[in-house]
Amino acid sequence: MPSINDSRCVLVTGATAGIGRALAYAISDLPSKPRVIAAGRRQDRLDELASKMDTIQIDFETDKETIKKFVDDTIAKYPDLDTLVLSAGVQYETWFQKPETIDLDKLLSELNVNYTSILTTITYFLPHLLKLAADGRPCFICPVTAGLGITPGAWVANYSASKAALHSLCYSLHAHLQGTNVHIMEIIPPLVESELHDAEDTTKMLTNKWMPLEEYIPVTMDGLTKGDFQISSGVSLAGLNRFETGKEEVVMKGLEVRKSW
């Protein structure tokens, strides 16, 4: 089974904090020693990573033209790029019983960072990955979704919906790319130690509830090195097993039925 052990050059977005940062370090430490490119918006954090890996500054709260330039420039500089780990994300609480408190600009930004920009990034990188794959190189797209994309957290309704959209997209990409040598590995974390929660000042209350990164990353790297389609743990794995067992086969069959029309 192809896995991240086969990767030669890996782009990790959202690499300046949390899961993205920890995965960038863990991937760079693989025995296969792939080249790692850390992408994120905070230059000071990128400077910290620069002694270990390449870095690119980009904020994914942007438009498709900016992402297209980022993709084109990245491919031109790193023609061996064969793996995407897409970890950029933001999270805001939303209380619909108090609609006057809802900032729609923030929600649309959250949707863009967590879903639309990732969809755009994947779409622009796919021709490059498909070409490499056709030449015999295994390629990988690894979006970071969330257990809340399976069972939503009502207090982070828009975040949950954005991750549900990305989770659904992973099933469809997995089906579409069968036989191409471009592989989808969806990373589905539970509540994990992260600065994601700083935006709502909920980090302190969550520190005794989340899975520490030192516990989470080895489990996730195990799935990446096995080439698993879905890589989950904790309560997210429980939700995946409870609500989505057999869904992959249904999606695959549905696509085959549509092709026969």
PDB file of all heavy atoms in Angstrom, residues 48-77:
ATOM      1  N   GLU A  48      11.179  29.978  12.864  1.00  0.00           N
ATOM      2  CA  GLU A  48      11.559  28.927  13.808  1.00  0.00           C
ATOM      3  C   GLU A  48      11.697  27.578  13.103  1.00  0.00           C
ATOM      4  O   GLU A  48      12.516  26.740  13.497  1.00  0.00           O
ATOM      5  CB  GLU A  48      10.514  28.819  14.918  1.00  0.00           C
ATOM      6  CG  GLU A  48      10.429  30.029  15.834  1.00  0.00           C
ATOM      7  CD  GLU A  48       9.256  29.939  16.795  1.00  0.00           C
ATOM      8  OE1 GLU A  48       8.564  28.891  16.791  1.00  0.00           O
ATOM      9  OE2 GLU A  48       9.038  30.904  17.554  1.00  0.00           O
ATOM     10  N   LEU A  49      10.888  27.366  12.069  1.00  0.00           N
ATOM     11  CA  LEU A  49      10.904  26.101  11.339  1.00  0.00           C
ATOM     12  C   LEU A  49      12.006  26.035  10.291  1.00  0.00           C
ATOM     13  O   LEU A  49      12.359  24.957   9.823  1.00  0.00           O
ATOM     14  CB  LEU A  49       9.554  25.890  10.649  1.00  0.00           C
ATOM     15  CG  LEU A  49       8.327  25.726  11.551  1.00  0.00           C
ATOM     16  CD1 LEU A  49       7.047  25.837  10.732  1.00  0.00           C
ATOM     17  CD2 LEU A  49       8.366  24.394  12.279  1.00  0.00           C
ATOM     18  N   ALA A  50      12.535  27.187   9.925  1.00  0.00           N
ATOM     19  CA  ALA A  50      13.416  27.285   8.750  1.00  0.00           C
ATOM     20  C   ALA A  50      14.713  26.491   8.888  1.00  0.00           C
ATOM     21  O   ALA A  50      15.310  26.104   7.880  1.00  0.00           O
ATOM     22  CB  ALA A  50      13.725  28.745   8.450  1.00  0.00           C
ATOM     23  N   SER A  51      15.153  26.210  10.104  1.00  0.00           N
ATOM     24  CA  SER A  51      16.383  25.435  10.267  1.00  0.00           C
ATOM     25  C   SER A  51      16.159  23.955   9.966  1.00  0.00           C
ATOM     26  O   SER A  51      17.118  23.212   9.738  1.00  0.00           O
ATOM     27  CB  SER A  51      16.921  25.588  11.699  1.00  0.00           C
ATOM     28  OG  SER A  51      15.994  25.057  12.637  1.00  0.00           O
ATOM     29  N   LYS A  52      14.892  23.546   9.964  1.00  0.00           N
ATOM     30  CA  LYS A  52      14.551  22.129   9.787  1.00  0.00           C
ATOM     31  C   LYS A  52      13.939  21.845   8.421  1.00  0.00           C
ATOM     32  O   LYS A  52      14.038  20.729   7.904  1.00  0.00           O
ATOM     33  CB  LYS A  52      13.565  21.733  10.893  1.00  0.00           C
ATOM     34  CG  LYS A  52      13.154  20.283  10.914  1.00  0.00           C
ATOM     35  CD  LYS A  52      14.159  19.427  11.627  1.00  0.00           C
ATOM     36  CE  LYS A  52      13.625  18.026  11.828  1.00  0.00           C
ATOM     37  NZ  LYS A  52      14.571  17.140  12.512  1.00  0.00           N
ATOM     38  N   MET A  53      13.298  22.850   7.821  1.00  0.00           N
ATOM     39  CA  MET A  53      12.550  22.629   6.582  1.00  0.00           C
ATOM     40  C   MET A  53      12.426  23.926   5.793  1.00  0.00           C
ATOM     41  O   MET A  53      12.733  25.012   6.295  1.00  0.00           O
ATOM     42  CB  MET A  53      11.172  22.052   6.896  1.00  0.00           C
ATOM     43  CG  MET A  53      10.316  22.947   7.768  1.00  0.00           C
ATOM     44  SD  MET A  53       8.903  22.085   8.540  1.00  0.00           S
ATOM     45  CE  MET A  53       9.718  21.156   9.863  1.00  0.00           C
ATOM     46  N   ASP A  54      11.953  23.818   4.559  1.00  0.00           N
ATOM     47  CA  ASP A  54      11.678  25.002   3.746  1.00  0.00           C
ATOM     48  C   ASP A  54      10.391  25.664   4.239  1.00  0.00           C
ATOM     49  O   ASP A  54       9.541  25.009   4.861  1.00  0.00           O
ATOM     50  CB  ASP A  54      11.534  24.615   2.275  1.00  0.00           C
ATOM     51  CG  ASP A  54      12.837  24.117   1.675  1.00  0.00           C
ATOM     52  OD1 ASP A  54      13.786  23.860   2.433  1.00  0.00           O
ATOM     53  OD2 ASP A  54      12.898  23.976   0.452  1.00  0.00           O
ATOM     54  N   THR A  55      10.227  26.940   3.960  1.00  0.00           N
ATOM     55  CA  THR A  55       9.033  27.647   4.431  1.00  0.00           C
ATOM     56  C   THR A  55       8.483  28.561   3.343  1.00  0.00           C
ATOM     57  O   THR A  55       9.225  29.067   2.496  1.00  0.00           O
ATOM     58  CB  THR A  55       9.340  28.498   5.680  1.00  0.00           C
ATOM     59  OG1 THR A  55      10.289  29.510   5.350  1.00  0.00           O
ATOM     60  CG2 THR A  55       9.880  27.630   6.811  1.00  0.00           C
ATOM     61  N   ILE A  56       7.164  28.762   3.403  1.00  0.00           N
ATOM     62  CA  ILE A  56       6.472  29.704   2.522  1.00  0.00           C
ATOM     63  C   ILE A  56       5.420  30.423   3.362  1.00  0.00           C
ATOM     64  O   ILE A  56       4.639  29.781   4.077  1.00  0.00           O
ATOM     65  CB  ILE A  56       5.759  28.990   1.356  1.00  0.00           C
ATOM     66  CG1 ILE A  56       6.740  28.183   0.501  1.00  0.00           C
ATOM     67  CG2 ILE A  56       5.011  30.010   0.481  1.00  0.00           C
ATOM     68  CD1 ILE A  56       6.055  27.343  -0.580  1.00  0.00           C
ATOM     69  N   GLN A  57       5.381  31.732   3.262  1.00  0.00           N
ATOM     70  CA  GLN A  57       4.356  32.482   3.971  1.00  0.00           C
ATOM     71  C   GLN A  57       3.126  32.645   3.088  1.00  0.00           C
ATOM     72  O   GLN A  57       3.213  33.104   1.943  1.00  0.00           O
ATOM     73  CB  GLN A  57       4.860  33.857   4.394  1.00  0.00           C
ATOM     74  CG  GLN A  57       3.850  34.631   5.246  1.00  0.00           C
ATOM     75  CD  GLN A  57       4.369  35.984   5.689  1.00  0.00           C
ATOM     76  OE1 GLN A  57       5.132  36.631   4.969  1.00  0.00           O
ATOM     77  NE2 GLN A  57       3.976  36.424   6.873  1.00  0.00           N
ATOM     78  N   ILE A  58       1.976  32.251   3.611  1.00  0.00           N
ATOM     79  CA  ILE A  58       0.702  32.458   2.925  1.00  0.00           C
ATOM     80  C   ILE A  58      -0.429  32.411   3.938  1.00  0.00           C
ATOM     81  O   ILE A  58      -0.403  31.610   4.875  1.00  0.00           O
ATOM     82  CB  ILE A  58       0.454  31.414   1.805  1.00  0.00           C
ATOM     83  CG1 ILE A  58      -0.891  31.707   1.106  1.00  0.00           C
ATOM     84  CG2 ILE A  58       0.517  29.988   2.354  1.00  0.00           C
ATOM     85  CD1 ILE A  58      -1.143  30.895  -0.139  1.00  0.00           C
ATOM     86  N   ASP A  59      -1.399  33.283   3.764  1.00  0.00           N
ATOM     87  CA  ASP A  59      -2.628  33.293   4.556  1.00  0.00           C
ATOM     88  C   ASP A  59      -3.735  32.759   3.653  1.00  0.00           C
ATOM     89  O   ASP A  59      -4.007  33.328   2.591  1.00  0.00           O
ATOM     90  CB  ASP A  59      -2.944  34.722   5.013  1.00  0.00           C
ATOM     91  CG  ASP A  59      -4.144  34.788   5.948  1.00  0.00           C
ATOM     92  OD1 ASP A  59      -4.894  33.791   6.042  1.00  0.00           O
ATOM     93  OD2 ASP A  59      -4.344  35.853   6.562  1.00  0.00           O
ATOM     94  N   PHE A  60      -4.364  31.653   4.048  1.00  0.00           N
ATOM     95  CA  PHE A  60      -5.379  31.041   3.198  1.00  0.00           C
ATOM     96  C   PHE A  60      -6.741  31.712   3.303  1.00  0.00           C
ATOM     97  O   PHE A  60      -7.688  31.270   2.652  1.00  0.00           O
ATOM     98  CB  PHE A  60      -5.482  29.535   3.489  1.00  0.00           C
ATOM     99  CG  PHE A  60      -4.367  28.762   2.847  1.00  0.00           C
ATOM    100  CD1 PHE A  60      -3.223  28.452   3.562  1.00  0.00           C
ATOM    101  CD2 PHE A  60      -4.446  28.392   1.515  1.00  0.00           C
ATOM    102  CE1 PHE A  60      -2.175  27.764   2.957  1.00  0.00           C
ATOM    103  CE2 PHE A  60      -3.408  27.717   0.904  1.00  0.00           C
ATOM    104  CZ  PHE A  60      -2.267  27.396   1.627  1.00  0.00           C
ATOM    105  N   GLU A  61      -6.836  32.778   4.055  1.00  0.00           N
ATOM    106  CA  GLU A  61      -8.027  33.616   3.969  1.00  0.00           C
ATOM    107  C   GLU A  61      -7.774  34.597   2.827  1.00  0.00           C
ATOM    108  O   GLU A  61      -7.373  35.745   3.028  1.00  0.00           O
ATOM    109  CB  GLU A  61      -8.278  34.330   5.299  1.00  0.00           C
ATOM    110  CG  GLU A  61      -9.326  35.426   5.298  1.00  0.00           C
ATOM    111  CD  GLU A  61     -10.624  35.127   4.552  1.00  0.00           C
ATOM    112  OE1 GLU A  61     -10.775  34.091   3.873  1.00  0.00           O
ATOM    113  OE2 GLU A  61     -11.517  35.969   4.619  1.00  0.00           O
ATOM    114  N   THR A  62      -7.975  34.101   1.614  1.00  0.00           N
ATOM    115  CA  THR A  62      -7.624  34.865   0.422  1.00  0.00           C
ATOM    116  C   THR A  62      -8.486  34.408  -0.741  1.00  0.00           C
ATOM    117  O   THR A  62      -9.392  33.580  -0.579  1.00  0.00           O
ATOM    118  CB  THR A  62      -6.122  34.686   0.114  1.00  0.00           C
ATOM    119  OG1 THR A  62      -5.740  35.604  -0.905  1.00  0.00           O
ATOM    120  CG2 THR A  62      -5.788  33.272  -0.334  1.00  0.00           C
ATOM    121  N   ASP A  63      -8.198  34.928  -1.933  1.00  0.00           N
ATOM    122  CA  ASP A  63      -8.994  34.607  -3.111  1.00  0.00           C
ATOM    123  C   ASP A  63      -8.304  33.548  -3.964  1.00  0.00           C
ATOM    124  O   ASP A  63      -7.153  33.178  -3.733  1.00  0.00           O
ATOM    125  CB  ASP A  63      -9.265  35.869  -3.935  1.00  0.00           C
ATOM    126  CG  ASP A  63      -7.985  36.624  -4.292  1.00  0.00           C
ATOM    127  OD1 ASP A  63      -6.954  35.964  -4.579  1.00  0.00           O
ATOM    128  OD2 ASP A  63      -8.000  37.864  -4.267  1.00  0.00           O
ATOM    129  N   LYS A  64      -9.024  33.083  -4.977  1.00  0.00           N
ATOM    130  CA  LYS A  64      -8.501  31.989  -5.800  1.00  0.00           C
ATOM    131  C   LYS A  64      -7.300  32.419  -6.640  1.00  0.00           C
ATOM    132  O   LYS A  64      -6.434  31.590  -6.931  1.00  0.00           O
ATOM    133  CB  LYS A  64      -9.597  31.411  -6.695  1.00  0.00           C
ATOM    134  CG  LYS A  64     -10.139  32.301  -7.784  1.00  0.00           C
ATOM    135  CD  LYS A  64     -11.234  31.583  -8.565  1.00  0.00           C
ATOM    136  CE  LYS A  64     -11.676  32.342  -9.804  1.00  0.00           C
ATOM    137  NZ  LYS A  64     -12.265  33.647  -9.493  1.00  0.00           N
ATOM    138  N   GLU A  65      -7.213  33.682  -7.000  1.00  0.00           N
ATOM    139  CA  GLU A  65      -6.078  34.160  -7.781  1.00  0.00           C
ATOM    140  C   GLU A  65      -4.777  34.070  -6.968  1.00  0.00           C
ATOM    141  O   GLU A  65      -3.727  33.664  -7.492  1.00  0.00           O
ATOM    142  CB  GLU A  65      -6.303  35.595  -8.248  1.00  0.00           C
ATOM    143  CG  GLU A  65      -7.386  35.751  -9.305  1.00  0.00           C
ATOM    144  CD  GLU A  65      -8.796  35.706  -8.762  1.00  0.00           C
ATOM    145  OE1 GLU A  65      -8.965  35.858  -7.521  1.00  0.00           O
ATOM    146  OE2 GLU A  65      -9.744  35.514  -9.553  1.00  0.00           O
ATOM    147  N   THR A  66      -4.849  34.432  -5.694  1.00  0.00           N
ATOM    148  CA  THR A  66      -3.673  34.342  -4.831  1.00  0.00           C
ATOM    149  C   THR A  66      -3.256  32.888  -4.635  1.00  0.00           C
ATOM    150  O   THR A  66      -2.054  32.565  -4.660  1.00  0.00           O
ATOM    151  CB  THR A  66      -3.959  34.992  -3.468  1.00  0.00           C
ATOM    152  OG1 THR A  66      -4.317  36.362  -3.672  1.00  0.00           O
ATOM    153  CG2 THR A  66      -2.750  34.909  -2.546  1.00  0.00           C
ATOM    154  N   ILE A  67      -4.240  32.012  -4.459  1.00  0.00           N
ATOM    155  CA  ILE A  67      -3.922  30.593  -4.290  1.00  0.00           C
ATOM    156  C   ILE A  67      -3.340  30.023  -5.577  1.00  0.00           C
ATOM    157  O   ILE A  67      -2.396  29.226  -5.548  1.00  0.00           O
ATOM    158  CB  ILE A  67      -5.171  29.806  -3.839  1.00  0.00           C
ATOM    159  CG1 ILE A  67      -5.581  30.252  -2.431  1.00  0.00           C
ATOM    160  CG2 ILE A  67      -4.905  28.301  -3.867  1.00  0.00           C
ATOM    161  CD1 ILE A  67      -6.857  29.630  -1.925  1.00  0.00           C
ATOM    162  N   LYS A  68      -3.852  30.435  -6.714  1.00  0.00           N
ATOM    163  CA  LYS A  68      -3.319  29.953  -7.999  1.00  0.00           C
ATOM    164  C   LYS A  68      -1.843  30.360  -8.139  1.00  0.00           C
ATOM    165  O   LYS A  68      -1.007  29.535  -8.547  1.00  0.00           O
ATOM    166  CB  LYS A  68      -4.126  30.540  -9.154  1.00  0.00           C
ATOM    167  CG  LYS A  68      -3.649  30.104 -10.553  1.00  0.00           C
ATOM    168  CD  LYS A  68      -3.855  28.617 -10.783  1.00  0.00           C
ATOM    169  CE  LYS A  68      -3.793  28.207 -12.240  1.00  0.00           C
ATOM    170  NZ  LYS A  68      -2.491  28.444 -12.882  1.00  0.00           N
ATOM    171  N   LYS A  69      -1.515  31.592  -7.793  1.00  0.00           N
ATOM    172  CA  LYS A  69      -0.116  32.029  -7.859  1.00  0.00           C
ATOM    173  C   LYS A  69       0.747  31.231  -6.879  1.00  0.00           C
ATOM    174  O   LYS A  69       1.870  30.818  -7.206  1.00  0.00           O
ATOM    175  CB  LYS A  69      -0.012  33.523  -7.569  1.00  0.00           C
ATOM    176  CG  LYS A  69       1.414  34.064  -7.743  1.00  0.00           C
ATOM    177  CD  LYS A  69       1.482  35.551  -7.492  1.00  0.00           C
ATOM    178  CE  LYS A  69       2.864  36.111  -7.841  1.00  0.00           C
ATOM    179  NZ  LYS A  69       3.966  35.417  -7.155  1.00  0.00           N
ATOM    180  N   PHE A  70       0.235  31.012  -5.674  1.00  0.00           N
ATOM    181  CA  PHE A  70       0.958  30.212  -4.679  1.00  0.00           C
ATOM    182  C   PHE A  70       1.234  28.808  -5.220  1.00  0.00           C
ATOM    183  O   PHE A  70       2.360  28.299  -5.110  1.00  0.00           O
ATOM    184  CB  PHE A  70       0.135  30.140  -3.390  1.00  0.00           C
ATOM    185  CG  PHE A  70       0.509  29.019  -2.473  1.00  0.00           C
ATOM    186  CD1 PHE A  70       1.691  29.056  -1.747  1.00  0.00           C
ATOM    187  CD2 PHE A  70      -0.322  27.918  -2.327  1.00  0.00           C
ATOM    188  CE1 PHE A  70       2.040  28.009  -0.890  1.00  0.00           C
ATOM    189  CE2 PHE A  70       0.014  26.871  -1.477  1.00  0.00           C
ATOM    190  CZ  PHE A  70       1.199  26.920  -0.751  1.00  0.00           C
ATOM    191  N   VAL A  71       0.240  28.179  -5.805  1.00  0.00           N
ATOM    192  CA  VAL A  71       0.404  26.824  -6.344  1.00  0.00           C
ATOM    193  C   VAL A  71       1.414  26.820  -7.487  1.00  0.00           C
ATOM    194  O   VAL A  71       2.327  25.997  -7.531  1.00  0.00           O
ATOM    195  CB  VAL A  71      -0.949  26.256  -6.796  1.00  0.00           C
ATOM    196  CG1 VAL A  71      -0.770  24.947  -7.575  1.00  0.00           C
ATOM    197  CG2 VAL A  71      -1.864  26.027  -5.599  1.00  0.00           C
ATOM    198  N   ASP A  72       1.254  27.740  -8.422  1.00  0.00           N
ATOM    199  CA  ASP A  72       2.170  27.800  -9.577  1.00  0.00           C
ATOM    200  C   ASP A  72       3.610  28.045  -9.130  1.00  0.00           C
ATOM    201  O   ASP A  72       4.545  27.399  -9.626  1.00  0.00           O
ATOM    202  CB  ASP A  72       1.731  28.896 -10.550  1.00  0.00           C
ATOM    203  CG  ASP A  72       0.446  28.559 -11.282  1.00  0.00           C
ATOM    204  OD1 ASP A  72       0.042  27.379 -11.276  1.00  0.00           O
ATOM    205  OD2 ASP A  72      -0.151  29.480 -11.870  1.00  0.00           O
ATOM    206  N   ASP A  73       3.794  28.975  -8.200  1.00  0.00           N
ATOM    207  CA  ASP A  73       5.143  29.282  -7.711  1.00  0.00           C
ATOM    208  C   ASP A  73       5.744  28.093  -6.968  1.00  0.00           C
ATOM    209  O   ASP A  73       6.944  27.809  -7.089  1.00  0.00           O
ATOM    210  CB  ASP A  73       5.115  30.502  -6.788  1.00  0.00           C
ATOM    211  CG  ASP A  73       4.820  31.800  -7.527  1.00  0.00           C
ATOM    212  OD1 ASP A  73       4.848  31.802  -8.771  1.00  0.00           O
ATOM    213  OD2 ASP A  73       4.546  32.814  -6.842  1.00  0.00           O
ATOM    214  N   THR A  74       4.909  27.410  -6.198  1.00  0.00           N
ATOM    215  CA  THR A  74       5.391  26.259  -5.423  1.00  0.00           C
ATOM    216  C   THR A  74       5.809  25.120  -6.340  1.00  0.00           C
ATOM    217  O   THR A  74       6.867  24.503  -6.155  1.00  0.00           O
ATOM    218  CB  THR A  74       4.311  25.787  -4.431  1.00  0.00           C
ATOM    219  OG1 THR A  74       3.948  26.872  -3.566  1.00  0.00           O
ATOM    220  CG2 THR A  74       4.809  24.627  -3.595  1.00  0.00           C
ATOM    221  N   ILE A  75       5.007  24.842  -7.357  1.00  0.00           N
ATOM    222  CA  ILE A  75       5.345  23.775  -8.303  1.00  0.00           C
ATOM    223  C   ILE A  75       6.622  24.123  -9.070  1.00  0.00           C
ATOM    224  O   ILE A  75       7.482  23.265  -9.303  1.00  0.00           O
ATOM    225  CB  ILE A  75       4.180  23.522  -9.273  1.00  0.00           C
ATOM    226  CG1 ILE A  75       2.990  22.916  -8.521  1.00  0.00           C
ATOM    227  CG2 ILE A  75       4.604  22.602 -10.421  1.00  0.00           C
ATOM    228  CD1 ILE A  75       1.711  22.859  -9.338  1.00  0.00           C
ATOM    229  N   ALA A  76       6.751  25.394  -9.454  1.00  0.00           N
ATOM    230  CA  ALA A  76       7.947  25.809 -10.190  1.00  0.00           C
ATOM    231  C   ALA A  76       9.208  25.624  -9.341  1.00  0.00           C
ATOM    232  O   ALA A  76      10.253  25.209  -9.850  1.00  0.00           O
ATOM    233  CB  ALA A  76       7.810  27.266 -10.620  1.00  0.00           C
ATOM    234  N   LYS A  77       9.116  25.902  -8.055  1.00  0.00           N
ATOM    235  CA  LYS A  77      10.283  25.795  -7.172  1.00  0.00           C
ATOM    236  C   LYS A  77      10.525  24.363  -6.707  1.00  0.00           C
ATOM    237  O   LYS A  77      11.662  23.949  -6.485  1.00  0.00           O
ATOM    238  CB  LYS A  77      10.103  26.711  -5.959  1.00  0.00           C
ATOM    239  CG  LYS A  77      11.342  26.780  -5.074  1.00  0.00           C
ATOM    240  CD  LYS A  77      11.194  27.846  -3.998  1.00  0.00           C
ATOM    241  CE  LYS A  77      12.460  27.944  -3.141  1.00  0.00           C
ATOM    242  NZ  LYS A  77      12.332  28.985  -2.090  1.00  0.00           N
TER     243      LYS A  77
END
